[in-house]
Amino acid sequence: MSVEQLGQALTVAAAGRVGSEAIQDIATAYIHFVRQHPGLYEASFHAPDRDEPQLAAASTVALQLLLDSLQPYGLSEADALHAVRGLRSLCHGFASIGAQGGFAMNFEASESLHLTISAFLDGLKHLRTDN
């Protein structure tokens, strides 16, 4: 199942890490998965049908991985879910633009991804619940 394969790739990328290091590695693995398996990615892109328990469970694994990785940011549950949506959107957009040849400038795309994810993570710091 495509969502399981994506989840497994993200889990391997984040193994043993949380916080910014895990998120950077997850984003890189996400982009790599899209490049290597565009058809599988497309199949995993939609929200799971909750009437399909195996698909819902596989999607929950990836969601929980991201939520666990964001724990050091001290976000409320709602803000953490918003952050997961934002991160997913950044990765999807970055992968889509790259697939269309939109990063033809003389800059390393992986550096652009790292800087973009760093800026996103820095922005999460103002949402901390313990401020």
Side-chain angles (χ1 to χ4, degrees):
M1 175 181 337
S2 58
V3 73
E4 285 178 329
Q5 289 175 310
L6 175 59
Q8 182 179 20
L10 301 182
T11 299
V12 168
R17 293 182 296 286
V18 296
S20 63
E21 185 179 326
I23 298 295
Q24 288 286 355
D25 290 345
I26 288 169
T28 299
Y30 190 107
I31 304 304
H32 182 72
F33 183 88
V34 174
R35 286 182 187 149
Q36 298 293 52
H37 310 287
L40 285 176
Y41 173 71
E42 199 60 38
S44 71
F45 185 68
H46 302 288
D49 181 351
R50 295 295 171 191
D51 292 331
E52 294 185 38
Q54 187 179 6
L55 182 57
S59 294
T60 300
V61 168
L63 173 62
Q64 193 59 53
L65 171 69
L66 291 168
L67 291 172
D68 291 346
S69 296
L70 288 168
Q71 279 189 335
Y73 290 87
L75 304 174
S76 69
E77 182 179 348
D79 285 343
L81 290 170
H82 289 303
V84 167
R85 282 183 174 174
L87 180 62
R88 182 177 178 218
S89 297
L90 282 172
C91 291
H92 174 76
F94 200 94
S96 295
I97 292 168
Q100 298 299 314
F103 295 131
M105 296 175 78
N106 193 21
F107 289 97
E108 184 62 41
S110 61
E111 185 177 352
S112 295
L113 176 64
H114 179 80
L115 291 171
T116 300
I117 298 300
S118 292
F120 171 77
L121 294 173
D122 285 346
L124 293 180
K125 292 176 183 174
H126 83 281
L127 298 175
R128 289 186 72 94
T129 58
D130 59 0
N131 279 342

